[in-house]
Amino acid sequence: MKKRLILVLAVLMGFVSLGGTTVTAQAAGRRVLIVYDALNPTANGQKKLAGLQQVLTSVGVTTQTEKLSDYYAGQLTTKKYAGVVTLVNWPQGDLRNAAFTRDRQTFTGKKLHVGQDLSAAEARGLHATRRNVYHQQLILSADKQSQLLPFSEDITLLKPARRAQNFGTLRPQNQGIGRYPYGTVVGQAGYLPYFEPSGFSQVLAAQTIAQLFGRQRQSPPLLTITGVTPYSDLTRLTKLAAKLNAAGIPFAVSTTSVADNTSLAAFSRFAKALRMVENDQGIIFLQAPVVGAADRQSGALLEQTMVEELNQLGQRQVMPVGISAPVYWNQDKIFRKYGLARSSNVLLLPNPTTTVFAQQDNLGGAYTQTWMGLSLNSLLTVKNGQQVAVDRLRFPVPTALTVPFPTSEKQLTATLKQVTQLGVTWYQPQDALKAKITSASATFGYRQGTYYLNGSPVTVGTEATGIPKYHFAQKRHVALDRYFKVQGNILFVFFTVTTVVLVIFLFLGRRIYRQMFRRK
């Protein structure tokens, strides 16, 4: 009993020493309801929805996503929700839900409209008048920056309103049409006529949403290298880290890992490369495993995998400061509980082409700090020979500007040249970052450049020494494992017997055939 009490006190002291806030997958408080009309793949509707979920989570609010046709009368109340976001992906479909329209009009919380079909009542709430513009290619500009947006067949713009806070400007190529605000916030209401989940559009949309929900957290962007795996060119990885460190550029690496075969020399080389990254002032985000198939019973397997990966890395002095995962992981109960919720820092990356859920509930969680993963290349669209000056952009939420891991020496040179010439003041983890990740038998921490294990400082060296080994004793269970094992044994016996019989028949047939031609 005394030993158990001492263990509990030690764990509590570890939490206190890190000074962090414990993470919950769903922060207390009212949610923001996202209502979308349709996914509309032809207009990248799924990507737009995921982009909004990503921005709202980075702003620090919990969300609930609902299809317009599934909304029921009386659902939207200030008792349940702090705000509502209407996303129109398919205006041509003219989809309607009278109950939602009525409830939204009487709702007194935060209200944001994204896309087409802005009603006259919504425009009045923004103290503005509407103007429809057809068949135009718009130029988005802000802070003396500009970026050409994709062609729009129909878009509803607002004439500037008094008492409005505007973010960015939309200017049609037809100079006679004039200029209009991109993001508009008036009191409790906001409007984005167009949303692209990348580039300049996403940055200005994040500014609008952060202002509307009162969650501005302006900070420099974090340079993040993505796509690293245990099978990457580790020499190139360490070379990239050394060059960035020499240039005075702090950075992060988002990498996958493995839970099996960690005793092999290849894993030791992988861990050593990551330690070199840490020694070159880089921090590590452990990327969630790729999901091939999942169901509601996948929680134990995911728990097992995440804990083993964390502990195997920790034994080798590789101390992740956060978990990175696609946006859709935050919309799944299993993935949040057993994956994301163990970390105070979560990096949300764009979704892959195929998404596989275990238990989708569309209830996005909030974390102590959620990083919005945004491709650096999406900000470097060339317009009239000029690039968007990333160093002059204002990022209102924690933002990770992502760069794919170079797959050749030529790409490595190009990446280093691109990053070093931007002149960006990058986020300094050694000065500002506080992080904590919980495992089954250990707590990893990071504060102002120092790593912690169970509350005790850890010095990362060139060799993996001084770290006690922590093991996760739970046995891995795989559904139908015994069934397939028995089935395999049966098939093995069947083919063995069949082979023996065929050999016997071949031997007898050969004897009979020879006897047919013998002289009598």
Side-chain angles (χ1 to χ4, degrees):
M1 184 65 182
K2 289 183 178 179
K3 290 183 178 180
R4 289 184 180 178
L5 181 59
I6 292 172
L7 180 60
V8 171
L9 289 173
V11 172
L12 289 175
M13 288 176 66
F15 280 119
V16 172
S17 66
L18 286 172
T21 304
T22 56
V23 179
T24 56
Q26 298 173 10
R30 296 171 298 162
R31 294 183 176 275
V32 172
L33 181 65
I34 304 174
V35 179
Y36 67 96
D37 57 346
L39 292 181
N40 191 14
T42 60
N44 292 324
Q46 179 69 66
K47 290 184 178 180
K48 291 179 181 179
L49 177 59
L52 275 178
Q53 292 168 338
Q54 181 190 34
V55 172
L56 284 163
T57 305
S58 299
V59 166
V61 299
T62 54
T63 61
Q64 177 180 338
T65 304
E66 199 83 69
K67 192 174 181 180
L68 180 63
S69 58
D70 295 332
Y71 178 87
Y72 59 87
Q75 180 179 353
L76 182 60
T77 64
T78 53
K79 184 177 181 180
K80 293 177 62 177
Y81 301 102
V84 59
V85 176
T86 307
L87 173 62
V88 177
N89 279 327
W90 192 28
Q92 297 83 1
D94 197 29
L95 302 176
R96 295 286 184 269
N97 185 321
F100 174 68
T101 302
R102 183 174 57 252
D103 291 347
R104 190 187 191 281
Q105 190 168 351
T106 58
F107 182 66
T108 57
K110 311 280 188 181
K111 293 187 280 190
L112 175 67
H113 186 108
V114 182
Q116 292 299 295
D117 284 351
L118 183 74
S119 68
E122 290 175 298
R124 286 194 299 270
L126 292 162
H127 305 294
T129 55
R130 299 172 295 173
R131 176 166 185 180
N132 288 336
V133 176
Y134 304 97
H135 305 291
Q136 287 288 333
Q137 191 162 20
L138 302 172
I139 298 172
L140 177 62
S141 60
D143 299 325
K144 297 181 181 180
Q145 316 277 337
S146 63
Q147 195 168 40
L148 193 64
L149 299 180
F151 183 82
S152 297
E153 291 187 2
D154 181 14
I155 188 169
T156 302
L157 303 177
L158 291 182
K159 290 186 177 180
R162 290 181 297 176
R163 304 194 307 275
Q165 292 179 287
N166 299 323
F167 300 89
T169 301
L170 287 172
R171 175 170 54 86
Q173 287 187 314
N174 183 348
Q175 300 294 334
I177 295 178
R179 296 172 178 265
Y180 298 86
Y182 171 66
T184 302
V185 175
V186 180
Q188 297 274 87
Y191 178 54
L192 287 166
Y194 172 88
F195 176 66
E196 183 72 21
S198 65
F200 209 15
S201 172
Q202 186 161 342
V203 174
L204 294 178
Q207 291 180 11
T208 305
I209 294 171
Q211 178 63 41
L212 176 62
F213 289 96
R215 302 291 184 91
Q216 293 258 13
R217 296 178 60 188
Q218 188 167 332
S219 64
L222 172 65
L223 176 64
T224 305
I225 310 301
T226 59
V228 177
T229 74
Y231 312 104
S232 298
D233 187 321
L234 302 178
T235 302
R236 190 175 300 126
L237 174 62
T238 55
K239 184 177 180 180
L240 174 61
K243 293 284 187 181
L244 290 174
N245 186 36
I249 299 177
F251 64 100
V253 169
S254 174
T255 178
T256 58
S257 188
V258 293
D260 299 316
N261 299 321
T262 54
S263 60
L264 299 179
F267 186 77
S268 296
R269 289 193 294 271
F270 172 63
K272 183 176 182 178
L274 294 182
R275 285 197 303 275
M276 294 176 70
V277 167
E278 292 174 324
N279 284 317
D280 282 325
Q281 307 305 310
I283 57 174
I284 307 295
F285 280 90
L286 177 61
Q287 185 163 339
V290 176
V291 181
D295 55 30
R296 297 193 176 196
Q297 283 70 49
S298 299
L301 181 58
L302 177 58
E303 168 83 0
Q304 174 81 22
T305 301
M306 294 295 293
V307 167
E308 286 183 353
E309 288 184 0
L310 284 167
N311 288 352
Q312 290 296 333
L313 289 173
Q315 289 172 18
R316 293 160 177 82
Q317 292 181 333
V318 177
M319 315 285 284
V321 302
I323 303 294
S324 61
V327 175
Y328 83 92
W329 268 58
N330 199 37
Q331 306 298 315
D332 188 287
K333 183 177 180 180
I334 300 295
F335 296 161
R336 282 197 312 273
K337 179 179 179 180
Y338 297 102
L340 303 182
R342 65 179 64 256
S343 177
S344 63
N345 278 267
V346 170
L347 167 58
L348 292 181
L349 300 169
N351 284 339
T353 304
T354 303
T355 56
V356 179
F357 290 90
Q359 189 177 349
Q360 183 178 3
D361 60 2
N362 293 321
L363 298 177
Y367 309 89
T368 304
Q369 184 159 261
T370 304
W371 296 86
M372 179 179 72
L374 179 64
S375 168
L376 175 61
N377 284 333
S378 70
L379 291 171
L380 300 179
T381 302
V382 175
K383 171 67 174 64
N384 295 331
Q386 299 295 322
Q387 291 182 336
V388 172
V390 181
D391 59 315
R392 294 205 301 240
L393 291 179
R394 293 180 294 110
F395 297 94
V397 298
T399 304
L401 292 185
T402 61
V403 176
F405 178 67
T407 56
S408 66
E409 286 298 315
K410 184 178 179 180
Q411 284 189 10
L412 174 63
T413 303
T415 297
L416 288 169
K417 181 179 178 181
Q418 180 188 65
V419 171
T420 53
Q421 290 182 351
L422 288 176
V424 173
T425 300
W426 297 100
Y427 179 86
Q428 295 277 355
Q430 293 77 16
D431 296 336
L433 183 65
K434 293 182 180 180
K436 180 174 65 179
I437 299 181
T438 57
S439 182
S441 55
T443 300
F444 303 97
Y446 181 87
R447 187 174 70 242
Q448 296 178 341
T450 301
Y451 292 95
Y452 294 85
L453 176 65
N454 287 344
S456 299
V458 172
T459 300
V460 177
T462 55
E463 300 298 329
T465 58
I467 298 294
K469 294 187 177 182
Y470 295 88
H471 296 285
F472 190 60
Q474 178 179 334
K475 186 178 180 180
R476 179 176 297 185
H477 296 282
V478 180
L480 300 179
D481 180 62
R482 183 175 298 177
Y483 168 77
F484 287 117
K485 185 176 181 180
V486 172
Q487 187 182 57
N489 291 335
I490 294 174
L491 288 174
F492 177 75
V493 172
F494 171 76
F495 285 116
T496 300
V497 172
T498 302
T499 302
V500 171
V501 171
L502 287 175
V503 170
I504 293 174
F505 278 129
L506 181 63
F507 177 75
L508 294 175
R510 184 172 179 275
R511 288 186 61 185
I512 295 172
Y513 183 78
R514 291 184 63 186
Q515 289 176 359
M516 289 175 60
F517 294 95
R518 283 183 177 179
R519 294 180 179 180
K520 296 182 180 179

